[in-house]
Amino acid sequence: MRGAVMYAPGDVRVETLDDPRIEQPTDAIIRLSAACVCGSDLWPYRGIEKLQGPTRMGHEYVGIVEEVGSAVTSIRKGQFVVGSFWASDNTCDICRAGYQSACVHRVLMGTIGSQAEYLRVPLADGTLVATPELPPADLIPSYLAASDVLGTGWFAAVAAEAGPGKTVAVVGDGAVGLLAVLAAKQLGAERIIAMSRHEPRQKLATEFGATDIVTERGDEGIARIKDMTGGLGAHSVVEAVGTQESMMQAVHSTRSGGHVGFVGVTHDVSLPGMDMFNALVHLHGGPAPVRRFLPDLMRLIGDRTIDPGKVFDLTLPLDQAAEGYRAMDERRAIKTLLQV
Amino acid sequence: MRGAVMYAPGDVRVETLDDPRIEQPTDAIIRLSAACVCGSDLWPYRGIEKLQGPTRMGHEYVGIVEEVGSAVTSIRKGQFVVGSFWASDNTCDICRAGYQSACVHRVLMGTIGSQAEYLRVPLADGTLVATPELPPADLIPSYLAASDVLGTGWFAAVAAEAGPGKTVAVVGDGAVGLLAVLAAKQLGAERIIAMSRHEPRQKLATEFGATDIVTERGDEGIARIKDMTGGLGAHSVVEAVGTQESMMQAVHSTRSGGHVGFVGVTHDVSLPGMDMFNALVHLHGGPAPVRRFLPDLMRLIGDRTIDPGKVFDLTLPLDQAAEGYRAMDERRAIKTLLQV
């Protein structure tokens, strides 16, 4: 099969690779319906995360089940399924508390690589969620978004306790930030402030439910949010970038007693103790337990209540994955869909 | 009147000071029934917090109302009242959300000084809570504990979401940590692990409801908590110290999806972003909104359900405040009560 491999920062190649096969009786093999590039794939692409040699890429996936291992009971050949970037058993204490991304048996899908034609999914019963029937082709991008960026944005909005009567600010206008706007809207937030200075992203944020756009960032962005909230700060702030500036912008844009939901991967970030103490906010985040939300999100997609697939503004054949990375790195594209 | 002044690290003197007087129509003057020394008073005593010249000390207080300003309506002369270390209006949006320690009109009581015979309390209507009648003398220490250490320990336990079915670990065996044990017990926690290596404090933790004592700290302490919780970590962890080691011990002793409540003043602490991301815990803390809990805590004290006054293991006349500081600094006393 064909699949993407990163050799070095900026060097992504699509090559012929061995087809995956069942390794454990709890595995499934799926034929991908589409693949995509994640904002977090840009960390190694930019050299911020170190590569340990050539690395198979991709951790978002939707597809048709080709084969299941002998211990798989709830997933069947021929089903259309969505999974997330951590395979999880969905039965341990941590999973049952809704934190499947910290499952005691979790397997990181990024080490397997879903920017390819086929994918082995460990712990298939716990990881995969099937649609009642095969979905129409135009919904594939939205289901693919559910696999990570929608589920992650949704978790961030839930972690920030977005809801009725709340003013929600979203730091970050990548796919995750934009979908946190969509999530905040679905969760019933009263006011949703998207922090973005890119016109196409502002437009999509507004389509997804943003009521206000703030272009300032850092201390100016904080001051603007305070101005808009009677000097208090937002009730709920989503952080979807992962830099020092964006984390501190999120913390200091939140009123005391409010909630910060952070999902940007916090490389080289350090939270000063006294800032966190004096802010008196709630902080919750990390690798999103997308699996918790998948059944609900897939239902909202299936009945066309939400259209998260709009975050894909560039579609390329899998063989042009390198250009997909480049376009996202240069911010020419929000998110690249790869046709398999 | 007599009152304590800190001149320099290690140098506390009790002197004759001007009696306080009503400065704002919302003020009250109280005659203190007892005063005390807080663990946080040790920060400047040890030179970790810088003093700006000679400083009036003390921010915990109970007493009898002597006089009220013309705008005070709910507090009357002759009442026995308890207040907290932040005076608050109890009417702003932040107060009404339960975060009176971040009230938009808050005044820090530590700048006024309650280790004295009389105290001016700003925003008296919002700040002070009166008992239905004058309490018996033996309950004074418990009401005084409610003013800060009990309210702070209680907030930490609430922030850590201690409750039925939960395993709660408490990092720190000072008065706040010990009273967080008491709070966890009252909140219905199933298992309460006190982390302490001091025998008298272990004993008091057990009296307050601790089911287990762990003497290890740092990485060994984390490993011990993991061992005791099926490898997962505690559901709820209270941090009541404020050092880098204690904060990281708290974060890494908590299971993914669990809650850390931190109330130790986090001087020189820095939380590594990737640790916080990967831990996937909830973090909440800061200056405790004691006022939120005061009515309930005062009721529990009045009906003798709880006895938080047990944390005072040294009683001295106000004029011997210096020895009270010294005993706490040298860990000869958990907490010093000063007779006024």
Side-chain angles (χ1 to χ4, degrees):
Chain A
M1 69 166 187
R2 304 287 286 168
V5 179
M6 190 180 291
Y7 278 79
D11 181 7
V12 174
R13 307 178 202 171
V14 176
E15 305 183 332
T16 298
L17 304 166
D18 289 341
D19 285 349
R21 52 182 185 74
I22 299 287
E23 295 178 12
Q24 299 289 331
T26 47
D27 287 350
I29 303 293
I30 67 170
R31 179 165 45 83
L32 289 150
S33 301
C36 60
V37 182
C38 183
S40 68
D41 293 332
L42 298 180
W43 291 107
Y45 189 82
R46 291 169 174 164
I48 297 167
E49 270 178 20
K50 294 292 163 227
L51 291 167
Q52 314 290 328
T55 303
R56 299 277 301 274
M57 295 300 295
H59 54 262
E60 299 156 284
Y61 51 99
V62 296
I64 306 289
V65 179
E66 280 281 309
E67 187 185 356
V68 297
S70 58
V72 175
T73 58
S74 65
I75 295 295
R76 297 186 310 275
K77 180 174 174 169
Q79 285 182 316
F80 178 85
V81 292
V82 185
S84 179
F85 48 94
W86 281 107
S88 53
D89 63 23
N90 213 29
T91 57
C92 75
D93 280 356
I94 301 296
C95 281
R96 281 187 289 136
Y99 286 86
Q100 291 90 342
S101 47
C103 169
V104 298
H105 297 117
R106 68 182 181 172
V107 180
L108 187 57
M109 295 303 297
T111 60
I112 299 178
S114 66
Q115 290 163 6
E117 292 176 285
Y118 294 89
L119 177 71
R120 180 177 68 86
V121 181
L123 303 168
D125 279 333
T127 304
L128 296 171
V129 180
T131 51
E133 47 200 64
L134 294 186
D138 69 313
L139 289 185
I140 299 292
S142 285
Y143 283 114
L144 183 56
S147 175
D148 179 353
V149 282
L150 173 61
T152 294
W154 198 279
F155 169 62
V158 168
E161 300 218 343
K166 298 282 187 79
T167 294
V168 180
V170 177
V171 180
D173 62 2
V176 171
L178 292 168
L179 290 168
V181 169
L182 179 151
K185 172 77 176 174
Q186 289 296 315
L187 292 165
E190 186 172 301
R191 191 174 186 188
I192 304 168
I193 306 167
M195 305 189 84
S196 170
R197 46 179 64 180
H198 297 84
E199 198 274 330
R201 294 168 190 237
Q202 294 172 349
K203 185 163 168 291
L204 193 48
T206 304
E207 279 183 54
F208 282 157
T211 54
D212 300 85
I213 302 288
V214 163
T215 55
E216 293 88 346
R217 57 174 67 167
D219 288 344
E220 289 178 6
I222 294 164
R224 191 84 186 82
I225 298 292
K226 292 269 173 88
D227 276 352
M228 296 169 78
T229 53
L232 303 179
H235 300 93
S236 302
V237 179
V238 166
E239 196 288 334
V241 182
T243 63
Q244 185 70 28
E245 182 187 52
S246 63
M247 276 298 279
M248 297 323 292
Q249 183 177 326
V251 168
H252 291 301
S253 296
T254 309
R255 67 179 59 195
S256 291
H259 293 77
V260 179
F262 73 101
V263 290
V265 183
T266 42
H267 294 282
D268 303 320
V269 169
S270 162
L271 303 175
M274 287 311 298
D275 281 54
M276 299 310 298
F277 187 83
N278 290 321
L280 200 46
V281 299
H282 298 77
L283 182 70
H284 183 41
V290 175
R291 177 65 182 80
R292 187 204 309 177
F293 307 107
L294 268 185
D296 285 345
L297 300 182
M298 290 169 67
R299 193 159 45 241
L300 292 172
I301 291 165
D303 68 15
R304 298 182 186 270
T305 302
I306 59 174
D307 190 1
K310 283 184 184 169
V311 294
F312 293 105
D313 56 350
L314 177 64
T315 298
L316 295 170
L318 173 62
D319 274 337
Q320 293 177 30
E323 167 56 17
Y325 275 77
R326 213 158 26 234
M328 284 175 65
D329 179 43
E330 296 167 3
R331 287 181 80 84
R332 285 184 282 117
I334 297 172
K335 193 167 175 70
T336 306
L337 186 137
L338 300 172
Q339 291 168 318
V340 181
Chain B
M1 69 166 186
R2 303 287 287 168
V5 179
M6 190 179 291
Y7 278 79
D11 181 6
V12 175
R13 306 178 202 169
V14 176
E15 306 183 332
T16 298
L17 303 167
D18 289 341
D19 285 349
R21 52 180 186 76
I22 299 287
E23 296 178 11
Q24 299 289 331
T26 47
D27 287 350
I29 302 294
I30 67 170
R31 178 165 47 83
L32 289 150
S33 301
C36 60
V37 182
C38 184
S40 69
D41 293 331
L42 298 181
W43 291 108
Y45 189 83
R46 291 170 173 164
I48 296 167
E49 271 178 20
K50 293 292 163 226
L51 290 168
Q52 312 293 328
T55 303
R56 300 277 303 275
M57 296 300 295
H59 53 261
E60 300 157 284
Y61 53 99
V62 295
I64 306 288
V65 178
E66 280 280 310
E67 186 185 356
V68 297
S70 59
V72 175
T73 58
S74 64
I75 295 295
R76 296 186 311 277
K77 180 173 175 173
Q79 285 182 317
F80 178 84
V81 292
V82 185
S84 179
F85 48 93
W86 280 109
S88 53
D89 63 22
N90 213 29
T91 57
C92 74
D93 279 356
I94 301 295
C95 281
R96 281 188 287 135
Y99 285 87
Q100 290 90 343
S101 47
C103 170
V104 298
H105 297 118
R106 67 183 181 171
V107 180
L108 187 56
M109 295 304 297
T111 60
I112 300 179
S114 67
Q115 290 163 7
E117 292 177 282
Y118 293 89
L119 176 70
R120 180 178 68 87
V121 181
L123 302 168
D125 278 332
T127 304
L128 296 171
V129 180
T131 51
E133 47 201 66
L134 295 187
D138 69 313
L139 289 186
I140 299 291
S142 285
Y143 283 115
L144 183 56
S147 176
D148 179 352
V149 282
L150 172 61
T152 295
W154 198 279
F155 169 62
V158 168
E161 300 218 342
K166 299 283 186 77
T167 294
V168 180
V170 177
V171 179
D173 62 1
V176 171
L178 292 167
L179 290 168
V181 168
L182 178 151
K185 172 77 176 171
Q186 289 295 316
L187 292 164
E190 185 171 301
R191 190 175 188 188
I192 304 169
I193 306 168
M195 305 189 84
S196 170
R197 45 180 62 179
H198 297 83
E199 198 273 330
R201 294 166 190 239
Q202 294 171 350
K203 186 164 166 292
L204 193 48
T206 303
E207 278 183 54
F208 282 158
T211 55
D212 300 85
I213 302 287
V214 163
T215 55
E216 294 87 346
R217 58 174 66 165
D219 288 345
E220 288 178 5
I222 295 165
R224 191 84 186 80
I225 298 292
K226 290 270 173 86
D227 276 353
M228 296 168 79
T229 53
L232 303 179
H235 299 94
S236 302
V237 179
V238 166
E239 196 288 334
V241 182
T243 63
Q244 185 70 28
E245 183 187 51
S246 63
M247 275 298 280
M248 298 321 293
Q249 183 177 326
V251 168
H252 292 301
S253 296
T254 309
R255 68 180 59 193
S256 291
H259 294 75
V260 179
F262 72 102
V263 289
V265 183
T266 43
H267 294 282
D268 303 321
V269 168
S270 161
L271 304 174
M274 287 311 298
D275 281 54
M276 299 311 298
F277 187 83
N278 290 321
L280 199 46
V281 299
H282 299 76
L283 182 70
H284 183 41
V290 174
R291 178 63 182 82
R292 188 204 310 177
F293 307 107
L294 269 186
D296 284 345
L297 299 182
M298 289 169 67
R299 194 158 46 240
L300 293 172
I301 291 165
D303 67 15
R304 297 182 186 270
T305 302
I306 59 174
D307 189 1
K310 283 184 184 170
V311 295
F312 293 105
D313 56 350
L314 177 63
T315 298
L316 294 170
L318 174 62
D319 274 337
Q320 293 178 30
E323 167 57 17
Y325 275 78
R326 214 158 26 235
M328 285 175 63
D329 179 44
E330 295 168 4
R331 286 180 80 83
R332 285 183 282 117
I334 297 172
K335 194 168 175 71
T336 305
L337 185 137
L338 300 172
Q339 291 169 317
V340 180

